[in-house]
Amino acid sequence: MLPFEISEYKERLGKTKQTMEAAGIEVLLITDPANMNYLSGYDAWSFYVHQMLVVMTDEPQPVWIGRKQDANGAKLTTWLDAHDIIPYPDDYVQSPIKHPMDFVADILKEMGQAKRHIGVEMDSYYFTAKCFERLQAALPNSVFKDATLLVNRVRLVKSDAEIMYMKRASKLAEKAMAAAIEAINDGVRECEVAASIYQAQISGTEEFGGDYPSIVPLMPSGNKTCTPHLTWTDSRYTNGDLVIVELAGCYKRYHCPMARTAVIGHPAPQVKEVADIVIEGLNVTLEAIQPGMTCEEVEQVWKRYLSDKKLEKDSRLGYSMGLNYPPDWGEHTASLRQGDLTVLEPNMTFHLIPGIWLDDFGVEISESFRVTEKGYEVLADFPRQLFVKPVLKAM
Amino acid sequence: MLPFEISEYKERLGKTKQTMEAAGIEVLLITDPANMNYLSGYDAWSFYVHQMLVVMTDEPQPVWIGRKQDANGAKLTTWLDAHDIIPYPDDYVQSPIKHPMDFVADILKEMGQAKRHIGVEMDSYYFTAKCFERLQAALPNSVFKDATLLVNRVRLVKSDAEIMYMKRASKLAEKAMAAAIEAINDGVRECEVAASIYQAQISGTEEFGGDYPSIVPLMPSGNKTCTPHLTWTDSRYTNGDLVIVELAGCYKRYHCPMARTAVIGHPAPQVKEVADIVIEGLNVTLEAIQPGMTCEEVEQVWKRYLSDKKLEKDSRLGYSMGLNYPPDWGEHTASLRQGDLTVLEPNMTFHLIPGIWLDDFGVEISESFRVTEKGYEVLADFPRQLFVKPVLKAM
């Protein structure tokens, strides 16, 4: 079931260990499900209970620690040896008394790893304040270090195999967006458009199927387009409605996000104007992308373009993305914004989203791209336009 | 857009404040998105960045603090006054320098709430170790208290309006499970069945549409049924495959989970045997449920039933559920297991899932139920059986 060669996992592990050594970390407790997957292959919706992958600089293989009923899942989906998959009993699950981190501390002691410099992903969703408190209490002789994003940074530059998966994801994104644009019509309920998106995203193509994206379709409509992260309702679209659709295709946990905006009936002049600026700004920014630029410099291209328009955008222009689990497909490392000095390298992948949210409406038209040896490659092939859906006359 | 009357939100807030006072907490920082929704109505997929609802015993309304581009979403989906919606600038988002909790600390200081007993949800997914570290550093005169599950416990007993939403969710669960059972066939790809489930879950009924469930369809097949939390692949089912489907219907963030198991072709005798035990045990346990029992006593009924069978189940039998966001529809409060002395009250709602996972296969057949004045009410109406799908002959 492994989506990559074992040699690729071992290469990722090697890079992680190098980074750990440079940071003075001997033991790394990985709780970010994307990082767990990246290094071990582990793939299950079990991150709603505490679990982790332990990487030790003096051990060849990582150790998986998780709930007993998920241990068979770890055996099925990872390249780890069975004896490196360590289950905790069910009475540790959501218990007011026992905490899975007590179990983890016991295992670290057994393995002779309790007096080490231990890295923890301090700002990872699934590493709660309680996790850290319990670990500190149970391991008084350990020195804890903040290893937030340590593995995420290793993930920044994708392998060719990862890029191949993201290109498959881009086919799913195209299919899902086409289904959305087709379905958005006067009188149709928002939930029906969402269902059409899912159908396309998940059933996939004849060659391959789709995985669940880490974010559900974001579909604000009408005046709700003034904010990007609303989902759908069961209201019916009406003539004049503006509809933003932000979605991703996902293949084996690799994403290709994309946003488009549609209008039912005639677009208001100010909507058309903002859409034209977003599209032109997107094109101008993409054309400038080259390896060796910093993330900040990419955003400056957009800012310069926007400087003589009467619009402002005070949110970041984009972010690194790829492999992930809910609630985010972003990698939380590089952002296209002021102050981010990350240097673009071939096979870094970003979602470039010059979304504009005004007080009464918004427009999003975005692209996911890969940095190439000489410039950039947009992953999906989908018209960059404001989609105008005619109002169908009643029969 | 509010799904409940403002009076219901105020009642929930009142109960929360009473609980805070009993626990000696003056300020409660709520980061669990379900708790934020429960008290304010806030509904957006924005929990991938830090955000919170602040409840103060000496202030009539909670304060929402979140990312600037989500503030319009808070204005649209909550009952809060606009001046109680406080946005932080975008350079706090996933920044190596600024952290949203620094901003939160500044706001608490401005509001004169920095020298208080502050409750934090220590083991909530979205309250990371870093969040707590930054708050403690920025608020040296505050006393922090563990308020994990404080609001979750207020949520345990549902209002009639909440039950009505869960009954709508049950109709969506029935529709989605019917679509799954219909689609599972020899030669069909797992992703196509997943797509059919989504189509049914989300498009909903003629009367109402479906929301996204907090967990994606869990669909282990074949020998992968030995573990519950695998999703789907693009492999094709073949004759003899066993397929577990665990899914939920979701209406306005309220869930009705349900699991069923199907087999393509003839079930192996041991599969049939386990399924019969699971179904009979489920029926026996449900029939025993009454208000006034403890959660532990419910599980004892199941354990007694199982005692003369040659099966064991060492994971919990069920858990309280209802309103939630990814990654879980469970509420993390009451569990049907040994040691849980929560007393069943009318309008508590549980997912009763006597899943059996052996080394080479597993069976799940479950029901969501409400505790009534005199007993129990199963939410969905779907046959409790092992579904046998005939192998279709090639044309």
Side-chain angles (χ1 to χ4, degrees):
Chain A
M1 285 177 72
L2 280 176
F4 298 96
E5 299 291 329
I6 290 186
S7 58
E8 182 157 343
Y9 290 103
K10 292 198 169 171
E11 204 176 306
R12 297 169 179 184
L13 186 62
K15 283 184 197 161
T16 300
K17 287 184 173 182
Q18 276 174 23
T19 314
M20 286 168 64
E21 278 165 18
I25 291 170
E26 294 155 306
V27 177
L28 182 60
L29 308 186
I30 298 170
T31 46
D32 178 329
N35 293 339
M36 291 178 69
N37 174 299
Y38 185 71
L39 295 176
S40 74
Y42 185 61
D43 181 31
W45 191 289
S46 57
F47 41 89
Y48 73 91
V49 297
H50 294 302
Q51 56 180 19
M52 67 168 59
L53 195 73
V54 185
V55 174
M56 295 153 281
T57 49
D58 60 359
E59 291 285 345
Q61 277 200 20
V63 166
W64 180 96
I65 305 176
R67 186 182 187 180
K68 186 182 169 192
Q69 62 185 222
D70 294 318
N72 278 341
K75 285 174 194 161
L76 287 164
T77 64
T78 73
W79 58 276
L80 308 181
D81 294 334
H83 65 81
D84 287 325
I85 291 166
I86 305 174
Y88 61 75
D90 213 66
D91 58 353
Y92 281 92
V93 173
Q94 298 164 7
S95 156
I97 302 152
K98 289 181 159 189
H99 195 280
M101 292 303 142
D102 304 340
F103 184 89
V104 166
D106 290 340
I107 297 296
L108 292 178
K109 284 177 196 165
E110 273 175 37
M111 293 194 299
Q113 300 285 358
K115 296 179 185 176
R116 305 283 183 177
H117 287 75
I118 298 181
V120 285
E121 296 176 303
M122 289 291 287
D123 215 9
S124 158
Y125 302 117
Y126 302 109
F127 191 69
T128 66
K130 177 72 86 183
C131 286
F132 191 41
E133 187 181 75
R134 295 295 273 248
L135 282 175
Q136 285 177 302
L139 297 169
N141 298 314
S142 303
V143 177
F144 288 94
K145 294 203 162 194
D146 187 354
T148 305
L149 303 182
L150 187 149
V151 181
N152 304 51
R153 282 196 203 94
V154 176
R155 283 163 41 202
L156 250 174
V157 176
K158 275 72 185 167
S159 71
D160 290 341
E162 289 180 287
I163 294 293
M164 196 267 277
Y165 284 0
M166 293 179 73
K167 289 191 172 174
R168 288 189 161 191
S170 78
K171 297 298 133 201
L172 300 168
E174 291 166 9
K175 197 172 170 235
M177 189 60 83
I181 301 297
E182 173 68 25
I184 292 168
N185 281 304
D186 183 26
V188 170
R189 295 187 302 174
E190 294 182 10
C191 58
E192 285 156 19
V193 176
S196 300
I197 291 171
Y198 273 114
Q199 172 69 40
Q201 267 173 336
I202 306 299
S203 67
T205 71
E206 279 187 26
E207 292 77 38
F208 53 88
D211 207 344
Y212 59 90
S214 294
I215 304 179
V216 299
L218 301 173
M219 302 170 52
S221 66
N223 71 326
K224 294 181 284 177
T225 56
C226 65
T227 186
H229 296 126
L230 301 185
T231 53
W232 60 86
T233 70
D234 50 14
S235 302
R236 290 180 193 279
Y237 294 113
T238 57
N239 186 2
D241 269 353
L242 194 60
V243 186
I244 288 177
V245 179
E246 184 179 352
L247 54 75
C250 183
Y251 182 74
K252 294 191 187 292
R253 310 304 326 134
Y254 283 83
H255 292 77
C256 175
M258 186 202 289
R260 289 293 183 273
T261 303
V263 65
I264 298 167
H266 293 291
Q270 64 270 35
V271 169
K272 183 92 183 60
E273 195 182 352
V274 171
D276 286 345
I277 291 171
V278 166
I279 293 165
E280 193 177 19
L282 178 61
N283 293 339
V284 165
T285 310
L286 280 170
E287 278 303 321
I289 287 165
Q290 289 204 337
M293 283 173 91
T294 62
C295 284
E296 176 178 86
E297 285 166 348
V298 174
E299 202 239 1
Q300 281 163 0
V301 176
W302 159 260
K303 276 264 167 67
R304 271 197 303 277
Y305 168 76
L306 209 64
S307 62
D308 64 349
K309 311 293 178 293
K310 52 191 177 184
L311 284 177
E312 280 187 25
K313 177 175 170 61
D314 55 9
S315 53
R316 63 181 176 176
L317 184 64
Y319 49 83
S320 182
M321 56 77 206
L323 170 68
N324 223 336
Y325 283 86
D328 199 5
W329 53 51
E331 292 181 324
H332 300 196
T333 47
S335 288
L336 304 175
R337 65 177 162 193
Q338 197 182 332
D340 194 318
L341 301 178
T342 310
V343 176
L344 298 193
E345 290 178 48
N347 278 6
M348 286 185 177
T349 48
F350 290 86
H351 184 206
L352 177 57
I353 176 161
I356 298 285
W357 302 281
L358 305 173
D359 269 348
D360 47 355
F361 77 95
V363 171
E364 292 181 37
I365 296 160
S366 78
E367 293 290 4
S368 291
F369 71 87
R370 169 176 86 92
V371 181
T372 62
E373 293 295 334
K374 293 190 174 174
Y376 73 101
E377 177 187 16
V378 170
L379 294 179
D381 179 12
F382 203 85
R384 265 169 236 164
Q385 65 175 74
L386 175 69
F387 288 86
V388 179
K389 297 291 311 245
V391 176
L392 305 172
K393 290 207 181 107
M395 294 297 192
Chain B
M1 285 177 70
L2 278 177
F4 298 95
E5 299 292 329
I6 291 185
S7 58
E8 181 157 344
Y9 290 103
K10 292 197 169 168
E11 204 176 305
R12 297 168 179 185
L13 186 62
K15 284 184 195 161
T16 301
K17 286 184 173 181
Q18 276 173 21
T19 313
M20 285 167 63
E21 278 165 18
I25 292 170
E26 295 156 305
V27 177
L28 181 60
L29 307 186
I30 297 170
T31 47
D32 178 330
N35 292 339
M36 291 178 69
N37 174 299
Y38 185 71
L39 295 175
S40 74
Y42 184 61
D43 181 31
W45 190 289
S46 57
F47 40 90
Y48 73 90
V49 297
H50 294 301
Q51 56 181 17
M52 67 167 59
L53 196 73
V54 185
V55 174
M56 294 152 283
T57 49
D58 60 358
E59 291 285 345
Q61 277 200 20
V63 166
W64 179 95
I65 304 177
R67 186 180 186 179
K68 186 182 169 191
Q69 61 184 225
D70 295 317
N72 278 341
K75 285 174 194 162
L76 286 164
T77 63
T78 73
W79 58 275
L80 308 181
D81 294 335
H83 65 83
D84 287 324
I85 291 166
I86 305 176
Y88 61 76
D90 213 67
D91 58 354
Y92 281 93
V93 173
Q94 298 164 6
S95 155
I97 302 151
K98 291 179 160 189
H99 195 281
M101 292 304 141
D102 304 339
F103 183 90
V104 166
D106 290 341
I107 296 296
L108 291 178
K109 285 177 196 165
E110 274 175 36
M111 293 193 299
Q113 301 284 358
K115 296 178 186 175
R116 304 283 183 180
H117 287 75
I118 299 182
V120 286
E121 297 176 303
M122 290 291 286
D123 215 11
S124 157
Y125 302 117
Y126 302 111
F127 190 69
T128 66
K130 177 73 86 183
C131 286
F132 191 41
E133 187 181 76
R134 295 295 272 249
L135 281 175
Q136 285 177 301
L139 297 170
N141 299 315
S142 302
V143 176
F144 289 94
K145 295 202 162 196
D146 188 354
T148 305
L149 304 182
L150 187 149
V151 181
N152 304 51
R153 282 197 203 93
V154 176
R155 283 163 41 202
L156 251 174
V157 175
K158 275 71 187 170
S159 71
D160 290 341
E162 289 180 287
I163 294 292
M164 195 266 279
Y165 284 0
M166 292 178 74
K167 288 190 173 175
R168 288 189 161 192
S170 78
K171 297 297 132 204
L172 300 167
E174 291 165 10
K175 195 171 172 237
M177 189 60 81
I181 301 296
E182 172 68 25
I184 292 169
N185 281 306
D186 183 28
V188 170
R189 295 187 303 174
E190 293 182 12
C191 59
E192 285 156 19
V193 175
S196 299
I197 291 171
Y198 273 114
Q199 172 69 38
Q201 268 172 336
I202 306 299
S203 67
T205 72
E206 278 186 26
E207 292 77 38
F208 53 87
D211 206 345
Y212 58 91
S214 294
I215 304 180
V216 299
L218 302 172
M219 302 171 51
S221 66
N223 70 326
K224 293 181 284 178
T225 55
C226 66
T227 187
H229 297 125
L230 301 184
T231 52
W232 60 87
T233 70
D234 50 16
S235 302
R236 290 181 194 279
Y237 295 113
T238 57
N239 187 1
D241 269 353
L242 193 62
V243 186
I244 288 177
V245 178
E246 183 178 352
L247 54 75
C250 183
Y251 183 75
K252 294 192 187 292
R253 309 305 324 132
Y254 283 83
H255 292 77
C256 175
M258 185 202 292
R260 289 294 183 270
T261 303
V263 65
I264 299 168
H266 292 291
Q270 63 270 33
V271 169
K272 185 91 183 57
E273 195 183 351
V274 172
D276 286 345
I277 292 171
V278 166
I279 293 165
E280 193 177 16
L282 178 61
N283 292 339
V284 166
T285 309
L286 280 169
E287 278 305 321
I289 288 165
Q290 289 204 340
M293 283 173 91
T294 63
C295 286
E296 178 178 81
E297 285 166 349
V298 174
E299 203 239 3
Q300 281 164 358
V301 176
W302 159 260
K303 276 266 168 66
R304 269 197 302 276
Y305 167 75
L306 209 63
S307 62
D308 63 349
K309 312 291 177 291
K310 54 192 177 186
L311 283 177
E312 280 188 22
K313 176 174 169 65
D314 56 8
S315 53
R316 64 180 177 178
L317 185 65
Y319 49 83
S320 180
M321 56 80 207
L323 170 67
N324 222 335
Y325 283 86
D328 199 3
W329 54 51
E331 293 182 324
H332 300 194
T333 47
S335 288
L336 304 175
R337 65 177 162 192
Q338 197 184 330
D340 194 317
L341 302 179
T342 310
V343 176
L344 298 193
E345 290 179 47
N347 276 5
M348 286 186 179
T349 48
F350 290 86
H351 184 208
L352 176 58
I353 176 164
I356 298 286
W357 302 281
L358 305 174
D359 269 349
D360 47 352
F361 76 94
V363 171
E364 293 181 35
I365 296 159
S366 78
E367 293 290 5
S368 291
F369 71 88
R370 167 176 89 90
V371 181
T372 63
E373 294 296 333
K374 294 190 173 174
Y376 73 101
E377 177 186 17
V378 169
L379 293 178
D381 179 11
F382 203 84
R384 265 171 236 162
Q385 65 174 75
L386 175 69
F387 287 87
V388 178
K389 297 291 310 243
V391 176
L392 305 172
K393 290 208 182 104
M395 294 297 194

